[in-house]
């Protein structure tokens, strides 16, 4: 009996070890798949840096529209769940439009670049010699510098356009309607909720957790897409081929293969930003999402509603 118990315990340990190895392999595959997309968000040359600025400027223009859509959803006074769902769909749709136009938004860059950096960091310990390991470390440090510059370009490009576009729309509303699109009450609430003296930094860190979650979701979806060879299934599906033709079906398949990770990241991130704070508020945790581009757009809208009196407010 004792020998049988010892054997069973050994089998359980072996099973746990096997499951741990399988989980580690799956996590690595997910990170590797998503890392391919993250490489496109890291600039290494002057031309790539300037292109990132242009793409981020376009993303800032779209986020200006997202800002007004968010105020419109809040003005509907929906039930908390539906308000969160509306906000999530607003984010997701905006992120998808930015992706389809090949622009970028600084908020979701970390979700894309983190797996790429993790992949490079994981390769450091696998070098055979001390010289090779030092070279890998130096390469990783250089990559971090490239990443920081890329993130800075994304932020500057976003803010360079989101503020003037929001102010222009508000000015047009003052001229055409005689009033701003954002009410005074919403403007005052925005100024008080986005203050740096409050829990904004904590909320921004919480947003980073949501970015991490969307990164895992995007990597898993892309890995699942490749593992099941859905690109081949789309290219050779009789119904799709009959409707689109063989060449168009092949292009449709290739588009999904290239963009599946981005679509999954954008949709999941948008829904997480909108719904998770609502769910946490339901259980008594008043946590909100914060990201710099949309927050800046909201502040610009609030300031343009209140006018020069904004400068006299403590907030």
């Amino acid at each position: 009996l004792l020998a049988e118990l010892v054997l069973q315990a050994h089998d359980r340990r072996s099973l746990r070890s096997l499951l741990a190895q399988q989980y580690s392999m799956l996590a690595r595959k997910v990170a590797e798949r998503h890392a391919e997309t993250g490489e496109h968000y890291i600039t290494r040359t002057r031309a790539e840096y300037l292109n990132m600025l242009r793409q981020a400027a376009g993303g800032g223009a779209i986020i200006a529209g997202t800002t007004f859509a968010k105020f419109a959803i809040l003005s509907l006074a929906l039930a908390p769940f539906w308000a969160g769902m509306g906000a999530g769909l607003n984010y997701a749709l905006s992120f998808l439009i930015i992706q389809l136009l090949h622009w970028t938004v600084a908020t979701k860059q970390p979700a894309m670049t983190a797996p790429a950096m993790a992949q490079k960091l994981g390769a450091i310990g696998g070098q055979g010699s001390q010289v090779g390991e030092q070279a890998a470390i130096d390469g990783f440090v250089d990559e971090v510098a490239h990443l920081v510059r890329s993130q800075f370009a994304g932020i500057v490009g976003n803010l360079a356009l989101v503020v003037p576009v929001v102010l222009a729309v508000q000015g047009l509303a003052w001229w055409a309607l005689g009033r701003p699109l954002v009410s005074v009450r919403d403007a005052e609430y925005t100024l008080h909720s986005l203050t740096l003296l409050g829990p904004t930094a904590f909320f921004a860190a919480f947003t980073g957790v949501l970015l991490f979650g969307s990164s895992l979701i995007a990597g898993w979806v892309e890995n699942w897409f490749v593992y099941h060879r859905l690109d081949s299934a789309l290219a050779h599906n009789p119904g799709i081929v009959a409707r689109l033709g063989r060449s168009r079906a092949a292009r449709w398949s290739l588009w999904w293969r290239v963009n599946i990770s981005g679509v999954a990241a954008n949709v999941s991130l948008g829904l997480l930003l909108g719904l998770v704070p609502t769910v946490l508020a339901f259980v008594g945790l008043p946590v909100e999402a914060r990201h710099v581009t949309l927050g800046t757009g909201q502040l610009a809208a609030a300031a343009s509603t209140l006018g020069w009196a904004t400068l006299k407010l403590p907030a």
Side-chain angles (χ1 to χ4, degrees):
L1 179 60
L2 180 61
E4 184 177 351
L5 291 175
V6 170
L7 181 60
Q8 291 177 359
H10 176 73
D11 290 341
R12 284 196 294 271
R13 285 196 298 270
S14 299
L15 179 60
R16 286 196 296 268
S17 176
L18 179 61
L19 290 176
Q21 293 175 4
Q22 293 295 324
Y23 178 79
S24 176
M25 184 179 300
L26 177 61
R28 181 179 295 274
K29 288 296 183 183
V30 167
E32 286 176 354
R33 285 296 175 189
H34 200 35
E36 296 177 7
T37 303
E39 288 287 343
H40 302 298
Y41 289 85
I42 302 177
T43 62
R44 299 175 179 85
T45 65
R46 179 182 178 86
E48 291 177 351
Y49 185 84
L50 295 176
N51 187 51
M52 176 64 71
L53 283 173
R54 288 190 291 268
Q55 292 176 347
I62 300 299
I63 295 299
T66 309
T67 301
F68 290 109
K70 182 174 182 178
F71 280 114
I73 293 172
L74 292 176
S75 67
L76 297 177
L78 300 173
F81 173 80
W82 295 112
M85 177 63 74
L89 293 176
N90 180 31
Y91 296 143
L93 181 60
S94 300
F95 293 157
L96 284 175
I97 292 174
I98 291 173
Q99 178 191 358
L100 293 176
L101 294 175
H102 302 290
W103 292 340
T104 187
V105 59
T107 301
K108 65 185 186 67
Q109 276 183 291
M112 300 294 185
T113 55
M117 301 305 294
Q119 185 183 44
K120 296 181 184 300
L121 186 62
I124 291 179
Q127 304 298 323
S129 63
Q130 185 175 359
V131 176
E133 185 170 349
Q134 184 60 43
I137 293 175
D138 293 340
F140 178 76
V141 172
D142 292 339
E143 201 71 0
V144 170
H146 294 151
L147 173 62
V148 172
R149 284 198 292 265
S150 304
Q151 187 70 45
F152 180 77
I155 294 174
V156 171
N158 285 164
L159 301 189
L161 219 61
V162 67
V163 172
V165 170
V166 168
L167 294 179
V169 173
Q170 283 281 77
L172 183 62
W174 273 109
W175 176 76
L177 305 176
R179 60 178 178 82
L181 295 179
V182 178
S183 67
V184 174
R185 185 185 67 176
D186 289 340
E188 292 176 345
Y189 173 78
T190 298
L191 290 179
H192 286 86
S193 64
L194 294 180
T195 174
L196 292 177
L197 301 179
T200 297
F202 170 77
F203 291 163
F206 168 72
T207 305
V209 176
L210 299 184
L211 287 166
F212 171 74
S214 71
S215 174
L216 291 181
I217 293 172
W220 180 87
V221 169
E222 185 176 13
N223 193 63
W224 175 82
F225 184 93
V226 174
Y227 177 78
H228 291 282
R229 300 181 180 179
L230 294 186
D231 51 345
S232 178
L234 290 172
H236 299 94
N237 182 274
I240 296 178
V241 172
R243 289 175 174 83
L244 300 180
R246 191 168 299 277
S247 60
R248 290 182 179 178
R251 290 198 299 269
W252 177 245
S253 168
L254 179 61
W255 187 92
W256 277 108
R257 173 63 184 87
V258 173
N259 294 281
I260 184 63
S261 179
V263 171
N266 290 324
V267 173
S268 61
L269 178 59
L271 294 179
L272 288 173
L273 291 173
L275 288 175
V276 171
T278 301
V279 174
L280 292 180
F282 177 76
V283 297
L285 295 176
V287 180
E288 300 179 17
R290 288 285 186 270
H291 38 100
V292 62
T293 309
L294 184 63
T296 304
Q298 290 178 279
L299 288 175
S304 57
T305 292
L306 299 176
W308 292 108
T310 308
L311 301 178
K312 302 178 182 179
L313 298 176

